[in-house]
Amino acid sequence: MSFLSLTSIKKSFGPVHVVHDFNMDIEKGEFVSFLGPSGCGKTTVLRMIAGFESPTSGKIVINGRDQNSLKPNQRNIGMVFQAYALFPNMNVHDNVAFGLKVAGTDKSETDARVKQMLGLIKLEHLADRFPYQLSGGQQQRVALARAIAVKPQVLLLDEPLSALDAKIRVSLREEIRQIQQQLGITTVFVTHDQEEALSISDRIVVMNAGRADQIGTPFEIYNTPSTRFVASFVGTLSIIEGKVADPAAGAVTIGNQQIALKDPIAGMKGGDSISLALRPEAGSIAEGAKGDTALAGEVVSTSFLGSVIRTRLRVGGDVISFDMFNNPGVAPPVSGDNVTLRFAAKDLLVIRE
Amino acid sequence: MSSAKPDASPPARRLPLHWLGILPFAAFVTLFLLLPTMKIVVGAFQTPDGSFTLENIRGLFTPSILAAYWISIKISIASALLGCLIGFAMASAIVFGGLPKGIRGPLLTFSGVASNFAGVPLAFAFLATLGPVGIVTVFLRSNFGFDLRMLGFNLLSFWGLTITYLFFQIPLMILIITPALDGLKREWREAAEILGATGLQYWRMVAFPILLPSLLGTLALLFANAFGAVATAIALTGSSLSIVPILLFAQIRGDVLGNPHLGYALAFGMIVVTGIANAIYIWLRSRSERWLK
Amino acid sequence: MKKIWAWGALVFGLLYFTLPLIGMTNFSLKMRRGEYSFDAYQKVFADPRFQETFTYSVMQALFTILFGVLLVVPTAYWVRLKLPRLRPVIEFITLLPLVIPAIVIVFGYIRLYNTSSWLPLTGSLTGTNILLMFGYATLALPYMYRAVDTGLRTIDVATLTEAAQSLGAGWATILAKIILPNVLVAVLSGAFLTFAIVIGEFTMAALLNRPAFGPYMQLLGANRAYEPAALAVIAFGITWGCLGLIQLVSRFQKSAPPKA
């Protein structure tokens, strides 16, 4: 039996179905991200776990206990909000102590716990400050300390990094992950940022229009997306549209070029449309590049991103992006160049809808 | 930014010119707000021929004048407190109570109207309602045999004035506190809830302290509002109820106290009372909002 | 559960607020024995004193508004533009009339500007009328200033001014053609509120002995039975009209460009 399990969760607001039949089992100590665009239902699922919304149907069980009949203040869950939501009338110490205070913990124990929490987020020196005197990153760390001070069974993070600057976002997410592993706390993290989800999670749930499209480790999600939505939302895969030429041989026509896939194409016949995906790091146009497959195309644009150069290539009716490492000795291609992209047939993924 | 302005000139020359811009305003408030008030304050400590005295102030400490102050203060405190309480209940009913959205707009508009519907016509409205032949009085008497008068209720009394003043006190509270209630973020409530707090704990430890400065400010304002109300009281009671504004009104009109400078002292006393109310407010506020920028 | 007390608070409020309105309306229609009629209203409207005092108060209100706008708009603008550090002080001063009772202020006027003083405003009718108008402007100051200052906050005063100056506009042009149109809704709101305050004001007019609408109502209340209720209905209608106009003009603003 998993620690947190969501079974057949549905949620409608009036006639609008926000979550359709959502199923998920989360193990104790696991860090799971809900990833998806805004409006995909990820926050609604999180709020149902917290108890702020109740599911229209379905079951939420934490540690063997059905949560549906419990109010938020009976669930022993920690939550961090996007807009920090620190109590403005309390200083840092009192904010962190709040959950302990309402639980009736005695003062010396509370103080010790607050001290420990502030040590964890390295803000002991700011205990007397009020929220308005803190930076956004500091406020969010205090919010994290406040949430875990009560030793919750589950920690919920609702886009906790989206209001922060890019640099702080990266450092704070590493801090969150480190604290989470240190405490072994079961965590659900909601984000629309794929890089965030990939870097921090044990597993990712990619959500689309109220459904879980794919559940898997970051490695699985990135390398073998199971739907076109996952492929386009996670990473920067290029989608290439083609026509099946010979299913048995795995032959596909793209524009006026023909390539062969690694395997025969099951369940399709000649002339069917087929979508293929290629990761940006899978191909190369360098001279002597390895790869059993080649596509010729015209360079549309290049962007210099520092360590890598991203080039967009028009092939047939599609644009394929690929990255190459920066090399001071080799000038990047310019738009209008005709080049040949080489890659391994096994890196070309067939996307099923 | 400002250094790029075409008219930039050395600060030494610019400063007086800047101050010139508020000269009309400064002259107006000096002549028609500050000086008249000062005149009262100074006059309270002067004899008719202009020398310093404490006699006028001492003159206030007669039983009848003290009683007038006391009932004025009681009415003002009662109508301010009740106004705050009821206004708060109504405002939170429309903000958090889950009432239909359509109620909010009309209620706020009505509050704007009612908070300005003071003075003489308000007294008439209450006379027509709770007066000897008012609609409620007559209704209770003819249908239930209740005689408000027999039960000790009189519009020309502490409770009568308090109930009447509430007609503009409650809406004023609603107008001021509704934006403050809107400013309570949903996340604060949710954060408190998920940390295990009950609704009551949330209100006691989070919402109430956050609202306290606005509540105190409104209380002070409502107090001054009731304390200085002249027209309603006069139109309601004639001069049968001796409250400070009525006493001062009569004194200005006809020197009923038989000492012109006692009028100064009476008015000075009113400034002192509202001044104390506001000083208490400022003091409490500074204690309650250390957390504000 | 929560809804029950919310409805309870609302119903209690509605009862408290509608009963006096019903009471005064009912009473104002009962002048003729045994049936409802508009006799009380006819009496009121036919009274020459009503017409005189009402006209007088309307004129006072209009002059107060004119003076208030001319005083407050340039000041609030100037303070925002050049003297931002002075804002708390100005704000404090403009709030004083809410704290110092009107009766105290007018008492100060009577003693300060009497016939034997350096500025004997109460010595002549015109002088007293002007003094009363200044008094009304003082009473309306908190509302007028707040309305205009809030309006100015939604526009970028400094940038607008610099843009106008770079096109060669002078101060009068900037105020009249740039600032005023941009805060027109706020100014109108303040103006309607001022009108509502002035039209029924009693204390100042009574103590300065001017024939305004407020003292007239009080006098009538002391001597008649049904006409005062009719007056109360009329006064309520005027207040409602003024506040309704504020709603109307602010709705126009909402359909205009959004606030910054």
Side-chain angles (χ1 to χ4, degrees):
Chain A
M1 186 75 191
S2 55
F3 188 71
L4 165 59
S5 82
L6 307 169
T7 315
S8 311
I9 302 291
K10 291 190 182 118
K11 178 69 185 175
S12 324
F13 293 105
V16 186
H17 302 288
V18 184
V19 177
H20 309 265
D21 198 25
F22 185 90
N23 289 285
M24 173 91 210
D25 286 312
I26 298 172
E27 298 306 320
K28 192 165 174 55
E30 201 177 9
F31 193 115
V32 172
S33 295
F34 291 177
L35 173 65
S38 59
C40 71
K42 57 190 191 301
T43 295
T44 307
V45 174
L46 195 80
R47 291 174 61 80
M48 285 192 282
I49 300 174
F52 296 137
E53 314 281 355
S54 40
T56 309
S57 68
K59 210 168 159 184
I60 298 171
V61 176
I62 299 176
N63 201 10
R65 183 154 181 215
D66 190 337
Q67 302 287 309
N68 282 9
S69 60
L70 297 180
K71 288 184 182 157
N73 58 13
Q74 299 168 320
R75 294 192 179 193
N76 190 22
I77 284 176
M79 183 153 173
V80 175
F81 298 81
Q82 179 175 351
Y84 325 135
L86 292 180
F87 304 128
N89 57 321
M90 299 178 197
N91 63 21
V92 167
H93 175 281
D94 293 349
N95 261 287
V96 177
F98 183 87
L100 301 160
K101 208 169 156 191
V102 297
T105 315
D106 70 65
K107 194 171 177 317
S108 60
E109 196 183 331
T110 302
D111 286 347
R113 180 78 181 155
V114 170
K115 209 161 176 216
Q116 186 194 350
M117 288 300 111
L118 292 181
L120 208 58
I121 57 165
K122 302 182 192 73
L123 287 181
E124 298 105 316
H125 58 294
L126 298 180
D128 295 328
R129 296 276 183 93
F130 284 96
Y132 78 91
Q133 296 166 309
L134 303 177
S135 70
Q138 289 170 332
Q139 288 193 52
Q140 200 56 297
R141 276 146 75 196
V142 175
L144 178 68
R146 181 178 69 176
I148 56 182
V150 292
K151 299 185 180 160
Q153 332 179 56
V154 175
L155 178 64
L156 306 177
L157 308 170
D158 186 8
E159 306 231 11
L161 306 172
S162 358
L164 302 172
D165 295 342
K167 271 194 179 152
I168 295 167
R169 212 147 56 204
V170 172
S171 67
L172 186 54
R173 86 178 177 218
E174 281 160 7
E175 207 173 324
I176 289 176
R177 175 61 159 159
Q178 185 223 325
I179 291 172
Q180 183 267 337
Q181 283 179 326
Q182 195 179 333
L183 301 178
I185 186 168
T186 312
T187 302
V188 179
F189 175 77
V190 159
T191 181
H192 61 264
D193 183 320
Q194 43 92 5
E195 188 197 326
E196 234 165 70
L198 290 172
S199 64
I200 202 172
S201 319
D202 291 317
R203 276 195 299 161
I204 295 174
V205 183
V206 183
M207 290 189 65
N208 178 26
R211 288 197 174 77
D213 260 29
Q214 188 174 5
I215 300 178
T217 63
F219 191 80
E220 289 164 354
I221 296 278
Y222 186 80
N223 289 311
T224 51
S226 62
T227 68
R228 168 196 284 265
F229 174 79
V230 177
S232 63
F233 194 76
V234 181
T236 38
L237 277 75
S238 305
I239 308 283
I240 311 162
E241 303 292 346
K243 292 248 186 287
V244 178
D246 179 358
V252 173
T253 316
I254 294 160
N256 51 13
Q257 308 179 57
Q258 194 170 64
I259 55 170
L261 303 184
K262 185 166 71 77
D263 300 309
I265 307 164
M268 283 192 166
K269 57 184 193 302
D272 282 358
S273 293
I274 186 167
S275 301
L276 305 169
L278 189 66
R279 289 189 309 281
E281 66 275 22
S284 172
I285 56 164
E287 277 189 37
K290 294 203 176 91
D292 50 19
T293 312
L295 278 173
E298 184 191 333
V299 174
V300 179
S301 65
T302 58
S303 345
F304 186 66
L305 304 176
S307 61
V308 295
I309 297 163
R310 175 156 300 171
T311 305
R312 277 169 284 275
L313 200 63
R314 184 179 302 286
V315 177
D318 293 298
V319 172
I320 301 175
S321 293
F322 67 95
D323 293 343
M324 52 188 174
F325 284 114
N326 174 40
N327 179 350
V330 180
V334 294
S335 60
D337 284 359
N338 283 305
V339 295
T340 300
L341 180 69
R342 292 183 183 283
F343 52 91
K346 67 175 169 54
D347 285 331
L348 207 52
L349 306 167
V350 177
I351 303 293
R352 315 249 175 211
E353 296 303 320
Chain B
M1 281 291 271
S2 59
S3 62
K5 274 183 205 152
D7 66 337
S9 43
R13 258 193 62 213
R14 253 167 61 176
L15 197 66
L17 277 175
H18 277 184
W19 289 90
L20 223 54
I22 59 158
L23 199 62
F25 179 82
F28 174 77
V29 295
T30 307
L31 282 178
F32 296 102
L33 180 60
L34 303 179
L35 272 184
T37 312
M38 287 311 294
K39 174 82 182 168
I40 301 294
V41 175
V42 173
F45 295 95
Q46 276 178 339
T47 58
D49 56 29
S51 53
F52 176 82
T53 179
L54 285 174
E55 266 320 298
N56 302 321
I57 304 295
R58 205 165 293 147
L60 292 179
F61 290 86
T62 60
S64 66
I65 293 180
L66 281 181
Y69 271 109
W70 182 230
I71 189 157
S72 272
I73 291 173
K74 274 201 301 186
I75 291 172
S76 304
I77 290 180
S79 75
L81 278 177
L82 284 173
C84 262
L85 213 66
I86 300 169
F88 186 85
M90 291 183 69
S92 43
I94 53 168
V95 176
F96 308 116
L99 299 179
K101 287 226 172 7
I103 290 179
R104 186 192 162 106
L107 186 72
L108 288 180
T109 312
F110 178 81
S111 299
V113 176
S115 65
N116 283 294
F117 184 64
V120 181
L122 177 64
F124 294 164
F126 271 83
L127 279 172
T129 309
L130 289 168
V133 289
I135 190 168
V136 171
T137 317
V138 171
F139 178 80
L140 289 178
R141 194 169 45 213
S142 50
N143 288 297
F144 299 101
F146 266 167
D147 193 337
L148 286 175
R149 244 165 219 283
M150 296 292 280
L151 293 171
F153 180 82
N154 182 352
L155 208 45
L156 321 181
S157 68
F158 165 77
W159 278 111
L161 271 187
T162 303
I163 288 178
T164 309
Y165 285 3
L166 283 177
F167 198 88
F168 54 80
Q169 301 280 58
I170 294 172
L172 199 54
M173 174 70 179
I174 294 178
L175 286 180
I176 299 178
I177 209 69
T178 302
L181 291 179
D182 286 334
L184 290 175
K185 291 187 188 143
R186 188 182 71 170
E187 284 91 347
W188 291 335
R189 192 192 184 104
E190 290 180 349
E193 229 179 327
I194 201 87
L195 286 163
T198 60
L200 202 68
Q201 281 171 322
Y202 160 72
W203 272 101
R204 189 165 56 79
M205 297 165 77
V206 182
F208 183 69
I210 291 174
L211 291 174
L212 194 58
S214 325
L215 287 173
L216 290 173
T218 318
L219 209 54
L221 185 67
L222 295 191
F223 178 86
N225 206 17
F227 194 72
V230 178
T232 313
I234 286 184
L236 204 55
T237 71
S239 46
S240 63
L241 186 69
S242 186
I243 59 173
V244 181
I246 291 184
L247 202 58
L248 181 58
F249 190 85
Q251 167 69 9
I252 297 171
R253 273 233 160 137
D255 191 18
V256 292
L257 300 172
N259 171 1
H261 274 248
L262 200 50
Y264 283 122
L266 209 54
F268 173 69
M270 290 185 77
I271 299 176
V272 169
V273 170
T274 55
I276 288 175
N278 277 276
I280 293 174
Y281 154 59
I282 290 167
W283 178 66
L284 284 174
R285 186 184 167 118
S286 66
R287 280 169 48 99
S288 69
E289 65 173 18
R290 283 172 302 136
W291 46 275
L292 276 184
K293 270 167 253 193
Chain C
M1 178 55 206
K2 203 164 149 190
K3 268 196 171 168
I4 292 173
W5 74 254
W7 278 110
L10 194 75
V11 169
F12 173 84
L14 284 180
L15 216 60
Y16 172 78
F17 283 107
T18 46
L19 276 178
L21 301 181
I22 294 171
M24 71 183 186
T25 314
N26 176 57
F27 211 69
S28 72
L29 296 171
K30 287 211 310 203
M31 193 170 192
R32 203 177 293 172
R33 201 165 279 276
E35 59 174 320
Y36 284 118
S37 71
F38 287 102
D39 287 5
Y41 293 88
Q42 272 167 6
K43 274 254 165 69
V44 165
F45 287 127
D47 185 355
R49 293 279 297 147
F50 168 80
Q51 296 159 8
E52 277 163 36
T53 56
F54 193 74
T55 315
Y56 178 84
S57 284
V58 169
M59 292 311 288
Q60 277 287 344
L62 294 181
F63 279 114
T64 306
I65 289 166
L66 189 67
F67 176 78
V69 171
L70 287 179
L71 180 73
V72 166
V73 173
T75 305
Y77 163 74
W78 194 254
V79 169
R80 276 212 171 257
L81 187 68
K82 302 274 183 179
L83 301 163
R85 270 181 311 155
L86 218 59
R87 261 193 68 215
V89 181
I90 302 275
E91 227 163 65
F92 176 76
I93 291 175
T94 58
L95 288 176
L96 278 180
L98 293 181
V99 177
I100 305 173
I103 189 170
V104 173
I105 296 175
V106 73
F107 187 28
Y109 288 0
I110 291 170
R111 292 297 158 97
L112 204 55
Y113 302 116
N114 59 30
T115 40
S116 56
S117 76
W118 59 279
L119 188 61
L121 282 173
T122 56
S124 66
L125 273 189
T126 317
T128 316
N129 285 340
I130 291 174
L131 185 60
L132 182 58
M133 189 270 281
F134 284 152
Y136 287 160
T138 308
L139 291 187
L141 191 60
Y143 306 97
M144 199 53 149
Y145 197 93
R146 257 184 79 107
V148 172
D149 199 49
T150 313
L152 284 174
R153 192 167 55 200
T154 62
I155 60 174
D156 189 345
V157 171
T159 311
L160 279 180
T161 305
E162 280 169 18
Q165 278 177 333
S166 73
L167 296 170
W171 290 117
T173 316
I174 293 174
L175 271 170
K177 298 218 165 140
I178 312 285
I179 301 302
L180 194 60
N182 270 299
V183 295
L184 193 62
V185 168
V187 168
L188 285 175
S189 301
F192 291 131
L193 209 51
T194 305
F195 190 90
I197 292 168
V198 171
I199 201 77
E201 205 281 334
F202 168 75
T203 315
M204 284 190 164
L207 289 176
L208 289 175
N209 269 320
R210 296 311 301 140
F213 190 49
Y216 166 75
M217 286 196 285
Q218 192 266 333
L219 200 69
L220 207 66
N223 301 315
R224 301 289 173 83
Y226 299 99
E227 287 93 332
L231 277 177
V233 172
I234 295 167
F236 188 78
I238 293 170
T239 313
W240 189 277
C242 288
L243 272 288
L245 284 172
I246 293 178
Q247 291 270 311
L248 202 67
V249 292
S250 19
R251 203 161 299 160
F252 272 122
Q253 187 185 37
K254 272 174 202 148
S255 53
K259 292 180 201 172

